[in-house]
Short mmCIF file of all heavy atoms in Angstrom, two decimals:
data_model
loop_
_atom_site.label_atom_id
_atom_site.label_comp_id
_atom_site.label_asym_id
_atom_site.label_seq_id
_atom_site.Cartn_x
_atom_site.Cartn_y
_atom_site.Cartn_z
N LEU A 1 44.05 -76.10 -60.72
CA LEU A 1 44.92 -74.96 -60.44
C LEU A 1 45.84 -74.61 -61.60
O LEU A 1 46.21 -73.44 -61.78
CB LEU A 1 45.78 -75.25 -59.20
CG LEU A 1 45.07 -75.45 -57.86
CD1 LEU A 1 46.08 -75.79 -56.78
CD2 LEU A 1 44.29 -74.21 -57.47
N LEU A 2 46.21 -75.64 -62.38
CA LEU A 2 47.25 -75.44 -63.40
C LEU A 2 46.78 -75.69 -64.82
O LEU A 2 47.58 -75.71 -65.75
CB LEU A 2 48.45 -76.35 -63.09
CG LEU A 2 49.10 -76.14 -61.71
CD1 LEU A 2 50.16 -77.19 -61.46
CD2 LEU A 2 49.70 -74.73 -61.61
N GLY A 3 45.46 -75.90 -65.01
CA GLY A 3 44.93 -76.05 -66.36
C GLY A 3 45.14 -74.77 -67.16
O GLY A 3 45.50 -73.73 -66.61
N ASP A 4 44.89 -74.84 -68.45
CA ASP A 4 45.17 -73.70 -69.34
C ASP A 4 44.52 -72.40 -68.88
O ASP A 4 45.10 -71.33 -69.04
CB ASP A 4 44.71 -74.04 -70.77
CG ASP A 4 45.59 -75.11 -71.40
OD1 ASP A 4 46.73 -75.28 -70.93
OD2 ASP A 4 45.13 -75.76 -72.35
N SER A 5 43.32 -72.49 -68.34
CA SER A 5 42.62 -71.26 -67.92
C SER A 5 42.52 -71.14 -66.40
O SER A 5 41.79 -70.29 -65.89
CB SER A 5 41.22 -71.23 -68.53
OG SER A 5 40.47 -72.37 -68.12
N ALA A 6 43.24 -71.98 -65.67
CA ALA A 6 43.17 -71.98 -64.21
C ALA A 6 43.88 -70.76 -63.63
O ALA A 6 44.88 -70.27 -64.18
CB ALA A 6 43.77 -73.26 -63.65
N ILE A 7 43.39 -70.28 -62.51
CA ILE A 7 43.86 -69.02 -61.93
C ILE A 7 45.32 -69.08 -61.49
O ILE A 7 46.08 -68.13 -61.70
CB ILE A 7 42.95 -68.58 -60.75
CG1 ILE A 7 43.37 -67.19 -60.24
CG2 ILE A 7 42.99 -69.60 -59.62
CD1 ILE A 7 43.23 -66.10 -61.27
N LEU A 8 45.76 -70.19 -60.87
CA LEU A 8 47.13 -70.25 -60.39
C LEU A 8 48.12 -70.20 -61.55
O LEU A 8 49.15 -69.53 -61.48
CB LEU A 8 47.36 -71.51 -59.55
CG LEU A 8 48.76 -71.67 -58.96
CD1 LEU A 8 49.14 -70.46 -58.10
CD2 LEU A 8 48.86 -72.95 -58.13
N ARG A 9 47.82 -70.91 -62.64
CA ARG A 9 48.69 -70.85 -63.82
C ARG A 9 48.79 -69.41 -64.34
O ARG A 9 49.88 -68.95 -64.69
CB ARG A 9 48.17 -71.77 -64.92
CG ARG A 9 48.96 -71.66 -66.24
CD ARG A 9 48.40 -72.54 -67.31
NE ARG A 9 48.84 -73.92 -67.18
CZ ARG A 9 49.92 -74.42 -67.77
NH1 ARG A 9 50.68 -73.66 -68.53
NH2 ARG A 9 50.23 -75.69 -67.61
N LYS A 10 47.67 -68.71 -64.38
CA LYS A 10 47.68 -67.33 -64.86
C LYS A 10 48.54 -66.44 -63.97
O LYS A 10 49.29 -65.59 -64.46
CB LYS A 10 46.25 -66.80 -64.93
CG LYS A 10 45.40 -67.41 -66.04
CD LYS A 10 44.01 -66.80 -66.05
CE LYS A 10 43.16 -67.38 -67.17
NZ LYS A 10 41.79 -66.80 -67.17
N LEU A 11 48.41 -66.62 -62.66
CA LEU A 11 49.21 -65.81 -61.73
C LEU A 11 50.70 -66.07 -61.90
O LEU A 11 51.52 -65.16 -61.83
CB LEU A 11 48.79 -66.11 -60.29
CG LEU A 11 47.41 -65.63 -59.85
CD1 LEU A 11 47.05 -66.18 -58.48
CD2 LEU A 11 47.35 -64.11 -59.84
N ILE A 12 51.06 -67.34 -62.15
CA ILE A 12 52.47 -67.70 -62.31
C ILE A 12 53.01 -67.17 -63.63
O ILE A 12 54.07 -66.53 -63.68
CB ILE A 12 52.65 -69.23 -62.24
CG1 ILE A 12 52.27 -69.75 -60.84
CG2 ILE A 12 54.11 -69.61 -62.55
CD1 ILE A 12 52.16 -71.27 -60.76
N THR A 13 52.31 -67.45 -64.71
CA THR A 13 52.82 -67.10 -66.04
C THR A 13 52.84 -65.60 -66.30
O THR A 13 53.58 -65.12 -67.16
CB THR A 13 52.00 -67.80 -67.14
OG1 THR A 13 50.61 -67.48 -66.98
CG2 THR A 13 52.17 -69.31 -67.05
N THR A 14 52.03 -64.85 -65.55
CA THR A 14 52.04 -63.38 -65.71
C THR A 14 52.92 -62.72 -64.65
O THR A 14 52.96 -61.48 -64.56
CB THR A 14 50.61 -62.82 -65.61
OG1 THR A 14 50.03 -63.20 -64.35
CG2 THR A 14 49.75 -63.33 -66.76
N ASP A 15 53.59 -63.54 -63.84
CA ASP A 15 54.48 -63.04 -62.79
C ASP A 15 53.76 -62.09 -61.83
O ASP A 15 54.27 -61.05 -61.43
CB ASP A 15 55.71 -62.33 -63.39
CG ASP A 15 56.83 -62.15 -62.36
OD1 ASP A 15 56.70 -62.67 -61.23
OD2 ASP A 15 57.82 -61.47 -62.68
N THR A 16 52.53 -62.47 -61.49
CA THR A 16 51.75 -61.67 -60.54
C THR A 16 51.41 -62.45 -59.27
O THR A 16 50.53 -62.06 -58.51
CB THR A 16 50.44 -61.17 -61.20
OG1 THR A 16 49.73 -62.29 -61.74
CG2 THR A 16 50.74 -60.17 -62.30
N LEU A 17 52.09 -63.57 -59.08
CA LEU A 17 51.82 -64.42 -57.92
C LEU A 17 52.33 -63.75 -56.65
O LEU A 17 53.48 -63.35 -56.56
CB LEU A 17 52.49 -65.79 -58.09
CG LEU A 17 52.24 -66.80 -56.96
CD1 LEU A 17 50.78 -67.23 -56.95
CD2 LEU A 17 53.15 -68.01 -57.11
N SER A 18 51.44 -63.63 -55.68
CA SER A 18 51.81 -63.09 -54.38
C SER A 18 52.24 -64.24 -53.47
O SER A 18 52.29 -65.38 -53.88
CB SER A 18 50.62 -62.33 -53.79
OG SER A 18 50.97 -61.75 -52.56
N HIS A 19 52.54 -63.90 -52.22
CA HIS A 19 52.90 -64.93 -51.25
C HIS A 19 51.79 -65.97 -51.20
O HIS A 19 50.59 -65.64 -51.18
CB HIS A 19 53.11 -64.31 -49.88
CG HIS A 19 54.06 -63.14 -49.89
ND1 HIS A 19 55.38 -63.25 -50.25
CD2 HIS A 19 53.85 -61.82 -49.63
CE1 HIS A 19 55.96 -62.07 -50.18
NE2 HIS A 19 55.04 -61.19 -49.81
N THR A 20 52.17 -67.24 -51.17
CA THR A 20 51.19 -68.31 -51.36
C THR A 20 51.48 -69.49 -50.44
O THR A 20 52.64 -69.81 -50.17
CB THR A 20 51.22 -68.80 -52.83
OG1 THR A 20 50.86 -67.71 -53.69
CG2 THR A 20 50.26 -69.95 -53.05
N PHE A 21 50.40 -70.13 -50.00
CA PHE A 21 50.53 -71.34 -49.19
C PHE A 21 49.77 -72.47 -49.87
O PHE A 21 48.60 -72.32 -50.22
CB PHE A 21 50.01 -71.10 -47.77
CG PHE A 21 50.78 -70.03 -47.03
CD1 PHE A 21 50.26 -68.76 -46.86
CD2 PHE A 21 52.05 -70.31 -46.53
CE1 PHE A 21 50.98 -67.76 -46.22
CE2 PHE A 21 52.78 -69.32 -45.87
CZ PHE A 21 52.25 -68.06 -45.71
N PHE A 22 50.46 -73.60 -50.06
CA PHE A 22 49.85 -74.79 -50.63
C PHE A 22 49.61 -75.81 -49.53
O PHE A 22 50.44 -75.95 -48.62
CB PHE A 22 50.78 -75.44 -51.67
CG PHE A 22 51.12 -74.55 -52.84
CD1 PHE A 22 52.43 -74.39 -53.26
CD2 PHE A 22 50.12 -73.89 -53.54
CE1 PHE A 22 52.75 -73.58 -54.34
CE2 PHE A 22 50.42 -73.08 -54.63
CZ PHE A 22 51.74 -72.92 -55.02
N TYR A 23 48.49 -76.50 -49.61
CA TYR A 23 48.31 -77.64 -48.71
C TYR A 23 47.66 -78.79 -49.47
O TYR A 23 46.90 -78.59 -50.41
CB TYR A 23 47.48 -77.27 -47.46
CG TYR A 23 46.01 -77.01 -47.69
CD1 TYR A 23 45.07 -78.01 -47.45
CD2 TYR A 23 45.56 -75.76 -48.13
CE1 TYR A 23 43.71 -77.77 -47.64
CE2 TYR A 23 44.21 -75.51 -48.32
CZ TYR A 23 43.29 -76.52 -48.07
OH TYR A 23 41.95 -76.29 -48.26
N GLY A 24 48.02 -80.00 -49.06
CA GLY A 24 47.51 -81.19 -49.73
C GLY A 24 48.27 -82.41 -49.24
O GLY A 24 49.26 -82.29 -48.50
N PRO A 25 47.85 -83.60 -49.63
CA PRO A 25 48.46 -84.83 -49.14
C PRO A 25 49.90 -84.99 -49.61
O PRO A 25 50.33 -84.34 -50.57
CB PRO A 25 47.56 -85.93 -49.73
CG PRO A 25 46.93 -85.29 -50.93
CD PRO A 25 46.75 -83.85 -50.58
N PRO A 26 50.68 -85.84 -48.94
CA PRO A 26 52.07 -86.07 -49.34
C PRO A 26 52.16 -86.55 -50.80
O PRO A 26 51.31 -87.30 -51.26
CB PRO A 26 52.53 -87.17 -48.38
CG PRO A 26 51.64 -87.06 -47.20
CD PRO A 26 50.31 -86.64 -47.74
N GLY A 27 53.20 -86.11 -51.48
CA GLY A 27 53.46 -86.60 -52.82
C GLY A 27 52.59 -86.02 -53.91
O GLY A 27 52.60 -86.50 -55.05
N CYS A 28 51.84 -84.94 -53.61
CA CYS A 28 50.95 -84.37 -54.63
C CYS A 28 51.64 -83.27 -55.44
O CYS A 28 51.06 -82.74 -56.39
CB CYS A 28 49.66 -83.85 -54.01
SG CYS A 28 49.86 -82.43 -52.92
N GLY A 29 52.88 -82.89 -55.04
CA GLY A 29 53.64 -81.96 -55.85
C GLY A 29 53.83 -80.56 -55.29
O GLY A 29 54.17 -79.64 -56.03
N LYS A 30 53.66 -80.38 -54.00
CA LYS A 30 53.76 -79.03 -53.41
C LYS A 30 55.17 -78.45 -53.56
O LYS A 30 55.35 -77.32 -54.03
CB LYS A 30 53.34 -79.09 -51.93
CG LYS A 30 51.91 -79.56 -51.71
CD LYS A 30 51.54 -79.54 -50.24
CE LYS A 30 52.30 -80.58 -49.42
NZ LYS A 30 51.94 -81.97 -49.77
N THR A 31 56.17 -79.23 -53.14
CA THR A 31 57.56 -78.76 -53.24
C THR A 31 57.98 -78.59 -54.69
O THR A 31 58.63 -77.60 -55.05
CB THR A 31 58.51 -79.74 -52.53
OG1 THR A 31 58.07 -79.93 -51.18
CG2 THR A 31 59.94 -79.21 -52.54
N THR A 32 57.61 -79.55 -55.51
CA THR A 32 57.97 -79.49 -56.93
C THR A 32 57.37 -78.26 -57.60
O THR A 32 58.03 -77.58 -58.38
CB THR A 32 57.49 -80.76 -57.66
OG1 THR A 32 58.16 -81.90 -57.09
CG2 THR A 32 57.80 -80.69 -59.13
N LEU A 33 56.12 -77.96 -57.27
CA LEU A 33 55.47 -76.79 -57.84
C LEU A 33 56.21 -75.52 -57.44
O LEU A 33 56.41 -74.61 -58.26
CB LEU A 33 54.01 -76.73 -57.38
CG LEU A 33 53.19 -75.51 -57.83
CD1 LEU A 33 53.23 -75.34 -59.34
CD2 LEU A 33 51.75 -75.64 -57.34
N ALA A 34 56.65 -75.44 -56.18
CA ALA A 34 57.40 -74.27 -55.72
C ALA A 34 58.71 -74.14 -56.50
O ALA A 34 59.11 -73.03 -56.88
CB ALA A 34 57.68 -74.37 -54.22
N ARG A 35 59.37 -75.26 -56.75
CA ARG A 35 60.63 -75.23 -57.53
C ARG A 35 60.38 -74.77 -58.97
O ARG A 35 61.17 -74.00 -59.53
CB ARG A 35 61.27 -76.61 -57.53
CG ARG A 35 61.91 -77.01 -56.20
CD ARG A 35 62.53 -78.40 -56.28
NE ARG A 35 63.22 -78.76 -55.05
CZ ARG A 35 64.47 -78.41 -54.76
NH1 ARG A 35 65.17 -77.70 -55.64
NH2 ARG A 35 65.03 -78.77 -53.63
N VAL A 36 59.30 -75.27 -59.55
CA VAL A 36 58.95 -74.87 -60.92
C VAL A 36 58.68 -73.37 -60.99
O VAL A 36 59.12 -72.68 -61.92
CB VAL A 36 57.73 -75.67 -61.43
CG1 VAL A 36 57.20 -75.09 -62.74
CG2 VAL A 36 58.10 -77.14 -61.63
N ILE A 37 57.96 -72.86 -59.99
CA ILE A 37 57.67 -71.42 -59.95
C ILE A 37 58.97 -70.61 -59.88
O ILE A 37 59.15 -69.61 -60.58
CB ILE A 37 56.76 -71.09 -58.75
CG1 ILE A 37 55.37 -71.70 -58.96
CG2 ILE A 37 56.66 -69.58 -58.55
CD1 ILE A 37 54.46 -71.61 -57.75
N ALA A 38 59.90 -71.06 -59.02
CA ALA A 38 61.19 -70.37 -58.90
C ALA A 38 61.94 -70.36 -60.23
O ALA A 38 62.53 -69.35 -60.62
CB ALA A 38 62.04 -71.03 -57.81
N THR A 39 61.90 -71.47 -60.94
CA THR A 39 62.57 -71.57 -62.24
C THR A 39 61.93 -70.65 -63.26
O THR A 39 62.62 -69.91 -63.98
CB THR A 39 62.54 -73.02 -62.76
OG1 THR A 39 63.21 -73.88 -61.81
CG2 THR A 39 63.22 -73.14 -64.11
N LEU A 40 60.60 -70.69 -63.34
CA LEU A 40 59.89 -69.88 -64.33
C LEU A 40 60.07 -68.38 -64.07
O LEU A 40 60.15 -67.58 -65.01
CB LEU A 40 58.40 -70.22 -64.32
CG LEU A 40 58.00 -71.60 -64.86
CD1 LEU A 40 56.51 -71.82 -64.69
CD2 LEU A 40 58.39 -71.72 -66.34
N LEU A 41 60.11 -68.01 -62.80
CA LEU A 41 60.25 -66.59 -62.46
C LEU A 41 61.71 -66.17 -62.28
O LEU A 41 61.99 -65.02 -61.93
CB LEU A 41 59.46 -66.29 -61.18
CG LEU A 41 57.96 -66.62 -61.20
CD1 LEU A 41 57.30 -66.19 -59.91
CD2 LEU A 41 57.28 -65.95 -62.39
N ASP A 42 62.61 -67.14 -62.51
CA ASP A 42 64.05 -66.88 -62.42
C ASP A 42 64.44 -66.31 -61.06
O ASP A 42 65.14 -65.30 -60.95
CB ASP A 42 64.49 -65.92 -63.54
CG ASP A 42 66.01 -65.88 -63.71
OD1 ASP A 42 66.66 -66.90 -63.37
OD2 ASP A 42 66.54 -64.85 -64.16
N LYS A 43 63.98 -66.98 -60.02
CA LYS A 43 64.27 -66.53 -58.66
C LYS A 43 65.17 -67.53 -57.95
O LYS A 43 64.99 -68.75 -58.08
CB LYS A 43 62.97 -66.39 -57.85
CG LYS A 43 62.09 -65.23 -58.28
CD LYS A 43 60.85 -65.14 -57.40
CE LYS A 43 59.97 -63.95 -57.80
NZ LYS A 43 60.62 -62.66 -57.50
N PRO A 44 66.15 -67.08 -57.19
CA PRO A 44 66.96 -67.99 -56.36
C PRO A 44 66.03 -68.74 -55.40
O PRO A 44 65.12 -68.14 -54.83
CB PRO A 44 67.90 -67.05 -55.61
CG PRO A 44 67.95 -65.80 -56.45
CD PRO A 44 66.60 -65.68 -57.08
N PHE A 45 66.27 -70.04 -55.23
CA PHE A 45 65.35 -70.88 -54.47
C PHE A 45 65.99 -71.31 -53.16
O PHE A 45 67.09 -71.86 -53.13
CB PHE A 45 64.98 -72.12 -55.30
CG PHE A 45 63.96 -73.02 -54.64
CD1 PHE A 45 62.61 -72.72 -54.69
CD2 PHE A 45 64.37 -74.17 -53.98
CE1 PHE A 45 61.67 -73.55 -54.10
CE2 PHE A 45 63.44 -75.02 -53.38
CZ PHE A 45 62.09 -74.70 -53.44
N TYR A 46 65.29 -71.07 -52.06
CA TYR A 46 65.74 -71.50 -50.75
C TYR A 46 64.66 -72.38 -50.13
O TYR A 46 63.49 -71.97 -50.06
CB TYR A 46 66.00 -70.29 -49.83
CG TYR A 46 67.21 -69.47 -50.24
CD1 TYR A 46 67.09 -68.46 -51.18
CD2 TYR A 46 68.46 -69.73 -49.68
CE1 TYR A 46 68.19 -67.71 -51.57
CE2 TYR A 46 69.57 -68.97 -50.05
CZ TYR A 46 69.42 -67.97 -51.00
OH TYR A 46 70.52 -67.24 -51.38
N GLU A 47 65.04 -73.57 -49.70
CA GLU A 47 64.08 -74.51 -49.12
C GLU A 47 64.35 -74.67 -47.63
O GLU A 47 65.48 -74.97 -47.21
CB GLU A 47 64.18 -75.86 -49.82
CG GLU A 47 63.14 -76.87 -49.33
CD GLU A 47 63.14 -78.15 -50.14
OE1 GLU A 47 63.80 -78.20 -51.20
OE2 GLU A 47 62.46 -79.11 -49.73
#
């Protein structure tokens, strides 16, 4: 998802990410990824 040519990275870095849902096992980085996206897009973060 986040490799150099991966689609999710492209959506984030070009600020074209739409509403998104992540799923996966505990501790794989779902919350952290959401925080990183908020930081990169300079958006106030509410959890």
Side-chain angles (χ1 to χ4, degrees):
L1 297 177
L2 301 174
D4 291 339
S5 59
I7 185 62
L8 181 56
R9 175 182 279 269
K10 289 181 179 179
L11 290 171
I12 296 169
T13 55
T14 57
D15 196 6
T16 54
L17 182 68
S18 182
H19 308 297
T20 298
F21 297 103
F22 299 131
Y23 71 98
C28 67
K30 299 182 293 293
T31 305
T32 298
L33 177 54
R35 287 180 176 276
V36 169
I37 292 171
T39 300
L40 290 176
L41 303 183
D42 194 27
K43 290 182 179 292
F45 184 80
Y46 291 86
E47 184 173 351

